[in-house]
Amino acid sequence: MKKEALRLKNIRNIGIAAHIDAGKTTVTERILYYTGKTHKLGEVHEGTAIMDYLPQEQERGITITSAVTTLYWDNHEIQLIDTPGHVDFTIEVERSLRVLDGMVAIFCGVGGVEPQSETVWHQADKYKVPRIAFVNKLDRIGADFFRVMDMMVEKFGVNPIPLQIPLGREDGFFGVVDLITMKSIVWNEDNLGATYNHISIPKEYEKISHTYREKLFEKLSLIDDQFMELYLDGNAIEESIIHNTIRKATIALKCVPVLCGAALRNKGIQPLMDGIVRYLPSPVDVPPVQGKNPQTGELEYREARDDEDLTALAFKVVIDEGRKLTYIRIYSGVLNVGDEVYNVNIGKKEKISRIFRMHAQHRERIEGARTGAIVGIIGLKETSTGHTLTKTKPILLEPMEIYQPVISIAVEPKRNVDQDKLLLTLQRISEEDPTFVLRTDEDAYQTVVSGMGELHLEVIVDRIKKEFGIDLHVGKPQVVYKEAIEKKASIEHAFEKLINNITCKGWISLDVSPNGRGEGIMIIPHIGEEHPVFPYLTTIEEGVMEASNIGIIKGFPLTDIRVNIIDASFNNPEFARLTLKMAAYEAFRKACMEAGPVILVPIMSLTITVPNEFLGDIISDLNGRKCQIAHLSTKDKVTIIHAYAPLTKMFGYSTDVRSLSQGRASFTMYFSHYDKIENG
């Protein structure tokens, strides 16, 4: 057991996440190089990054799919996931964070906390993932390490504790001061930063270094009482005690250690690796995974131990060379080739054919995997994203949140003979990507696919052409609308049907009223107050939910409605399910017709960085697009505009914003919520 405990203690399951273009994949490539996993530096801008292995990633210079690898540093095994930074691929970050124990959040030294940084940070908050921060690109013009920390406090309300400060600014950046050892670290240029020297702190940085070391100790004193006693005694504090205090505080989510560097110039990576093993948790440092017993509904826990029953979560599915590869995280127990596992979500058993340790798209075949492992599995034919696998003691782990698509396109093959192949391909892609939705429009004889944004669908269309060899006709992007109501309405409705010469009747009384935006359909039964034992509540709810799939105005799904089921009755128990379901279906639709139905459009959160001389033109254009400006913030010669924009008005915006600012403005846009727009 001691050997097993030590093995688990030396595992780190971590993700690297950031806003697009913060240098996340460049950091990952340096980590691979310095840990000996690769022998040549991969570069994003050259399309040679190991972790960006899809052709679409190499062409665009961005990460599209999360990639897993295993590497070793200081006798620790690190299972690392590099995640996308573009908002269209947020599901990749979501499902990675669901199974990780720690995270490295990377911030651009110039841009600081950018919109997708916030999204990623809040995803990590949701899963209570401890994290450390790395401020990258300190060699760029306008980089400011201390401003990024101020932004972290302002945007996240966290307690960042700098463990380093930079030496030099912008293109004069040449190293860092380690505030724990009070030594400078300077990297050697002649061997791609693989070696570095610890030297004395330059005289001009001595004062600021001592100031920030004092601030570090003050913050640790406020977090840890034992550290406060040592600090107030005034004696020298051992480095091991400082590291242990930081580790405890990081795992308890009381602070975020901050390191810095410039990955493209090969500076700052080795101390970041030290920080990962020193401060981020192992599988035994995080609380035991919890889930519901599918039989009793009671909460149960699984300890991170090999002698516990298998508990694993499938978090990603890839169709590779026609075979389904399922990525899983093992929280407890052992899994071997040939084992039979039980899928708790679908109530079926499946057999493990092969197990792989993954290195991006490369696979190393292994015979078994133990607690703490992240591996690829072949043989799980029906297992999908978010499913729980066990052996003898079923437990249902909480699945990850799946985001709703907001944009659609119609696709059809250029050759009729490819029609069946196209449908099979689209089904495979939708199995890989839960945010990609496939629908066949029978009335228009069209295949309609929906996704998270224009780039998301563009990448999928590109994959269909290049990977599967199907040439497509692609329709113009269409917004995925929804419908809601604005008023309250009450209705009583009876459904009658003659069955076997007997009139069967179901009667229902309900009212509908607007629910809060983003709250969805909420059904509140009141029947129990009149009839304590009413066996068909579920049937009535099914009728309401089926009716909500087809809206009143244009047939878009209904949402954000509160439904009170007041009373219900039936005259024939044998056909009560049918009559009550139809009564509920028709009653809900009639009530919504009377309740002022409206169409909702996706509202996007828009952040634009624009030079001040173009501010007036940009704001005028936003007003013309019916955007609501939330606030403006000015920094030096640029203004950052935060606005909410209806997606219907934002197609082609990238071209327009470049035209209005002579190519000098930049923007990011991601889905925020659904709402109506006047005269939309």
Side-chain angles (χ1 to χ4, degrees), residues 44 172 208 371 388 406 473:
V44 175
I208 190 171
T371 304
T388 306
V406 296
H473 290 298

Side-chain angles (χ1 to χ4, degrees), residues 80-129:
L80 181 148
I81 302 183
D82 178 30
T83 65
H86 195 285
V87 70
D88 282 14
F89 309 104
T90 295
I91 185 65
E92 292 287 331
V93 186
E94 181 83 21
R95 53 189 179 182
S96 299
L97 286 173
R98 174 65 182 83
V99 298
L100 291 171
D101 300 325
M103 182 181 97
V104 178
I106 297 182
F107 300 98
C108 171
V110 182
V113 177
E114 296 169 283
Q116 184 65 1
S117 313
E118 294 187 60
T119 305
V120 167
W121 196 272
H122 296 314
Q123 285 172 310
D125 282 341
K126 181 166 61 178
Y127 295 119
K128 297 183 169 58
V129 177

Side-chain angles (χ1 to χ4, degrees), residues 97-329:
L97 286 173
R98 174 65 182 83
V99 298
L100 291 171
D101 300 325
M103 182 181 97
V104 178
I106 297 182
F107 300 98
C108 171
V110 182
V113 177
E114 296 169 283
Q116 184 65 1
S117 313
E118 294 187 60
T119 305
V120 167
W121 196 272
H122 296 314
Q123 285 172 310
D125 282 341
K126 181 166 61 178
Y127 295 119
K128 297 183 169 58
V129 177
R131 66 217 80 155
I132 60 179
F134 181 74
V135 181
N136 192 27
K137 300 191 175 185
L138 288 179
D139 56 328
R140 296 286 183 90
I141 293 172
D144 188 336
F145 174 72
F146 303 105
R147 184 180 69 87
V148 176
M149 283 197 301
D150 290 341
M151 290 177 81
M152 289 173 67
V153 175
E154 179 192 337
K155 303 270 186 179
F156 305 143
V158 296
N159 180 19
I161 55 169
L163 307 186
Q164 301 170 342
I165 59 170
L167 289 169
R169 290 197 62 178
E170 301 177 345
D171 59 358
F173 172 72
F174 66 95
V176 300
V177 174
D178 184 329
L179 297 177
I180 297 174
T181 63
M182 287 304 278
K183 291 279 187 184
S184 295
I185 304 174
V186 179
W187 280 266
N188 296 322
E189 303 275 351
D190 53 357
N191 62 356
L192 299 175
T195 58
Y196 50 92
N197 298 312
H198 290 273
I199 61 172
S200 300
I201 300 170
K203 266 201 163 32
E204 63 271 31
Y205 288 94
E206 283 180 357
K207 186 176 179 183
I208 190 171
S209 299
H210 283 288
T211 301
Y212 273 92
R213 181 179 165 89
E214 285 302 309
K215 286 182 179 180
L216 168 64
F217 282 10
E218 285 167 12
K219 284 189 173 186
L220 293 177
S221 298
L222 294 172
I223 293 169
D224 189 280
D225 290 342
Q226 286 178 313
F227 191 90
M228 180 183 279
E229 287 179 24
L230 293 170
Y231 178 59
L232 292 176
D233 283 346
N235 296 323
I237 303 173
E238 290 178 24
E239 284 180 26
S240 60
I241 293 172
I242 302 171
H243 290 312
N244 288 338
T245 305
I246 296 168
R247 178 179 177 77
K248 279 194 295 181
T250 304
I251 293 171
L253 304 177
K254 292 181 179 177
C255 73
V256 179
V258 185
L259 304 157
C260 60
L264 194 61
R265 287 176 60 182
N266 312 310
K267 291 176 170 59
I269 304 301
Q270 294 93 337
L272 173 62
M273 294 299 295
D274 291 336
I276 288 169
V277 300
R278 279 176 181 153
Y279 310 128
L280 289 179
S282 71
V284 292
D285 292 318
V286 294
V289 68
Q290 68 174 38
K292 284 186 179 176
N293 183 310
Q295 273 85 41
T296 65
E298 296 292 318
L299 269 184
E300 291 186 2
Y301 299 88
R302 294 284 187 272
E303 299 277 351
R305 297 201 320 259
D306 283 355
D307 58 356
E308 179 65 88
D309 185 54
L310 175 74
T311 306
L313 184 72
F315 68 94
K316 181 179 168 74
V317 172
V318 175
I319 308 297
D320 186 20
E321 297 176 355
R323 302 197 72 175
K324 182 175 173 181
L325 179 69
T326 307
Y327 287 77
I328 67 164
R329 159 75 194 265

Side-chain angles (χ1 to χ4, degrees), residues 14 27-41 51 69-80 192-194 269-274 276-277 359:
I14 64 149
V27 169
T28 308
E29 292 297 320
R30 267 61 185 169
I31 288 173
L32 294 177
Y33 181 69
Y34 298 137
T35 55
K37 192 73 182 180
T38 57
H39 302 290
K40 185 180 176 216
L41 279 177
M51 302 298 273
T69 191
T70 304
L71 40 90
Y72 299 88
W73 183 261
D74 192 23
N75 298 319
H76 287 71
E77 179 183 314
I78 299 170
Q79 295 176 113
L80 181 148
L192 299 175
I269 304 301
Q270 294 93 337
L272 173 62
M273 294 299 295
D274 291 336
I276 288 169
V277 300
H359 177 46

